[in-house]
Amino acid sequence: MSTPRQPPRGGSGPRRPARPQPGRPQSARPQPGRTARPAERPRAPRPRTGEPPRRPAARRPHLAPPPVRTIKLADQRRRLRLVTVALALVFSVFAGRLIQLQLLDSDALAASAGAHNYVDAVLSADRGSITSSDGVALATTVDAYDITGDPTLYPAEKSLVPDAPEQAAALLAPILDRTKEQLAAALRTPKTKWVMLAPRQSPETKKQITDLKATLAKQADTPACRAQRKLVGKPADQGGRQYVDNVCANPLVGVINQDSKRRVYPSGGLAANLLGYVNVDGIGTGGLEKQFQEELAGKPGRSTYAQVNGRMVPTAGGSQQSPVEGTDLRLTIDRDIQWAAQRAITDQVANAGAEKGYVIVQDVKTGQILAMAASPGFNPNELSKAKPEQLGNAAVGDAFEPGSTAKLMTMAAVLDTGTAAWDTHVTVPNTLQRSDRVFHDDIDHPTWYLTLAGVLAKSSNIGTILAAEQLGKSQPEANKVLADYLGRFGIGKPTGLGFPGETKGILAKPEDWNGSQQYTIPFGQGLSVNALQAASVFSTIANGGVRVTPGLLAGTTGPDGRYVPAAPGQETRVVKPETAKTLTEMLESVVSDEQGTGAKAKIEGYRVAGKTGTANRVDPKTGKYNGYTASFIGFAPAEQPRVTVSCVIQDPKNGHFGGQLCGPVFKQVMEFTLKSLRVAPSGSEAPNLPVDWKP
């Protein structure tokens, strides 16, 4: 057998047909004139000349595709019938309910919705603040909490203890400063879900109650306590019991903290007699809080909303009118001067063993009150500790006989009418018989030979009577002239302050003055004033004879934030300027002359004009004279007056003369005020008008 001829390497020649591969179907062979299918593996290229032949890659066996499964669908008509039946049932239920609501129960539901589902609530407005002249708050409103209770949670069958109200009261009493009996009675109120236990409590009080409730709730939620509650009401043979142990009770479960507002006074008792206070309902009941109640309170808003079982339904609609905040008041009160006045009068009332006293500081040009202090005072933050007689403002509420400070008005009438001059000679005997009385001065003395200035300096009652008699050709005519001047100074009339509880004093018509009144009124007995009226008399003289209506309000700030100054006080000419100037020099003699009664009111470096007063006091309980009213009123610097300071002490036991008791108070307060206002010292000496003459 011959060997087949091999083609030369690298050459070309006819190729031998490929030998069939085992296991591969013949149909997979490439046919002449046809291209290989994409699924077929291409033949490996022939190796180049000089390279060893490559071994053909092994071919994977061909797998037959899996048989196709056929899914048979359910009958669609049967499914459609089931869905139709289900929808018909649902719509039938809806239709029945609609028929019930629209036809059968429509009237009842409409009435129920109108009566119960909408709530009309009041939205409280923030009360305006009261500030001093420098804008520091003297009265303001802060967040507080009303401690309330739900009595429906306290019956034994609900609380699971027989004495739940008493247990709650015992826990709350020391925190709320209420008695156990008051709190227990409130929690037993029938037919109500709300009672007030303590209004306007502080955040500290709320936290105490909240922490206590949390502790009790944790204590009552132990497994043993839960087991006890399950046994309440069960028969005894089943281990039942009537009540749970006290350790498992939470008697505060019905106590609720509700947001509220509380009036606070940051400076405590400072200017409390002016500020006043609010009651438990937040309504001004005294002082400026009462006088400006409408402005301070603002206007409450309203909110209407739907509710179900006590809960608001936010998607049910409603309406809301926002509240309007209250107006802020800015006073003319200077905090520092007010503090100095309160300290001075408080100390002197205590030293004198007096019933009470008051100090007023007034700007003579504007009439504005820089301080008005009373003693004893009170703390409006602790009203429960104050006595009823301490809650008012005695400086404008008390009517008292002014005594010798009223002699200034008599001298003003005498000088202004030209009846006499400051140096007119007056012979003053030790006693003087007039009508059915014998009049005396405060001390026995030989006959005095005084000038009119000396009558004022030595505060002679007899000398004042003699001067007043010259006002008319007859006593009735003189009485009428004096009464006219007293009215010009504001005696017997409202001060214009409009303060709650203010008295206008007492001044009878001159034709009604009795036999003794026509002689006592010139030296300050037989008529009555309040302390502000008395201070205003001296401010009128200091202001050149022009009276300015006193004022406490510097301005207001409304809800829009705009500050509006208060209108200036009304001015009224009372006496001529030259009369006021002469009276000022006469008043200086009271303080600077060695025979004057006001030596204790001297202030180093400043010229002081003032007058002492010592009057018999009418006891308000008996209507008879009992004790004394001591006073001193003056202004400084005398050459260019800036402020008036008035001191009045009622029923002192340790001394009773005005110069002795009120002179030092005047000096203390006036010195502080002049320094606080940076008033320059006087640049000249007092004129020292002669007080006597030699016959």
Side-chain angles (χ1 to χ4, degrees), residues 28 32 89 96 166 171 183 195 217 252 299 309 325 351 369 377 383 391 393 450 453 490 525 546 551 603 617 628 676:
L89 291 174
E166 284 71 22
L171 293 170
L183 295 172
V195 291
L252 298 186
K299 295 181 180 179
N309 295 329
E325 295 181 356
N351 294 336
I369 298 171
L383 282 177
L391 297 180
N393 183 6
L450 304 177
Q525 301 262 195
V546 176
I603 299 176
R617 174 178 176 270
Y628 295 91
S676 180

Side-chain angles (χ1 to χ4, degrees), residues 106-436:
S106 59
D107 293 340
L109 290 172
S112 176
H116 303 290
N117 286 2
Y118 279 88
V119 175
D120 190 14
V122 176
L123 304 177
S124 60
D126 286 347
R127 191 173 181 85
S129 298
I130 304 177
T131 71
S132 58
S133 60
D134 57 357
V136 176
L138 299 174
T140 188
T141 300
V142 298
D143 291 336
Y145 304 90
D146 291 337
I147 310 302
T148 65
D150 184 353
T152 63
L153 299 178
Y154 281 90
E157 61 271 15
K158 286 191 176 182
S159 62
L160 305 183
V161 290
D163 58 346
E166 284 71 22
Q167 290 191 34
L171 293 170
L172 293 174
I175 300 175
L176 300 180
D177 195 22
R178 302 288 193 277
T179 66
K180 297 178 184 178
E181 293 75 18
Q182 289 174 329
L183 295 172
L187 293 174
R188 289 191 180 278
T189 304
K191 299 181 181 180
T192 181
K193 290 179 64 67
W194 182 93
V195 291
M196 176 65 74
L197 301 179
R200 296 176 178 81
Q201 299 298 301
S202 66
E204 292 76 17
T205 299
K206 175 205 172 185
K207 186 176 185 302
Q208 280 185 278
I209 296 175
T210 301
D211 292 345
L212 184 56
K213 286 177 65 176
T215 301
L216 293 173
K218 183 177 181 181
Q219 178 179 292
D221 197 33
T222 60
C225 290
R226 289 197 296 269
Q228 282 191 30
R229 283 191 287 274
K230 290 180 180 179
L231 296 176
V232 173
K234 288 189 176 183
D237 57 358
Q238 298 181 17
R241 56 191 301 167
Q242 188 174 5
Y243 300 113
V244 298
D245 297 334
N246 286 339
V247 71
C248 292
N250 184 2
L252 298 186
V253 68
V255 176
I256 305 166
N257 302 322
Q258 294 183 340
D259 292 346
S260 181
K261 298 290 183 181
R262 183 164 65 101
R263 196 66 163 171
V264 297
Y265 302 86
S267 298
L270 186 70
N273 57 308
L274 287 174
L275 300 174
Y277 52 93
V278 297
N279 62 16
V280 294
D281 296 320
I283 300 174
T285 312
L288 296 173
E289 295 276 24
K290 179 179 181 179
Q291 181 178 355
F292 294 96
Q293 163 62 23
E294 184 176 351
E295 293 85 350
L296 289 167
K299 295 181 180 179
R302 306 196 74 85
S303 175
T304 302
Y305 61 90
Q307 62 90 24
V308 175
N309 295 329
R311 295 184 178 181
M312 184 175 69
V313 182
T315 59
S319 62
Q320 179 170 318
Q321 179 184 359
S322 299
V324 178
E325 295 181 356
T327 297
D328 295 336
L329 306 182
R330 175 172 290 192
L331 305 183
T332 60
I333 296 298
D334 184 296
R335 284 186 308 134
D336 294 335
I337 298 175
Q338 178 72 27
W339 173 83
Q342 282 193 207
R343 184 183 65 173
I345 193 62
T346 299
D347 291 345
Q348 191 67 313
V349 166
N351 294 336
E355 177 187 327
K356 54 187 168 182
Y358 11 87
V359 169
I360 295 174
V361 181
Q362 185 180 24
D363 187 306
V364 302
K365 298 296 183 182
T366 65
Q368 293 181 345
I369 298 171
L370 306 181
M372 183 181 286
S375 177
F378 68 98
N379 187 342
N381 294 316
E382 301 175 342
L383 282 177
S384 60
K385 298 180 180 180
K387 298 178 180 179
E389 60 269 19
Q390 296 174 343
L391 297 180
N393 183 6
V396 295
D398 280 3
F400 59 90
E401 296 190 355
S404 295
T405 56
K407 292 173 182 175
L408 178 63
M409 293 182 285
T410 302
M411 295 300 171
V414 171
L415 292 173
D416 205 55
T417 58
T419 301
W422 69 266
D423 56 353
T424 297
H425 293 182
V426 182
T427 301
V428 182
N430 185 43
T431 61
L432 183 68
Q433 177 75 46
R434 287 293 185 272
S435 185
D436 58 349

Side-chain angles (χ1 to χ4, degrees), residues 6 139 239 387 533 597:
Q6 299 292 330
K387 298 178 180 179
Q533 288 174 325
T597 57

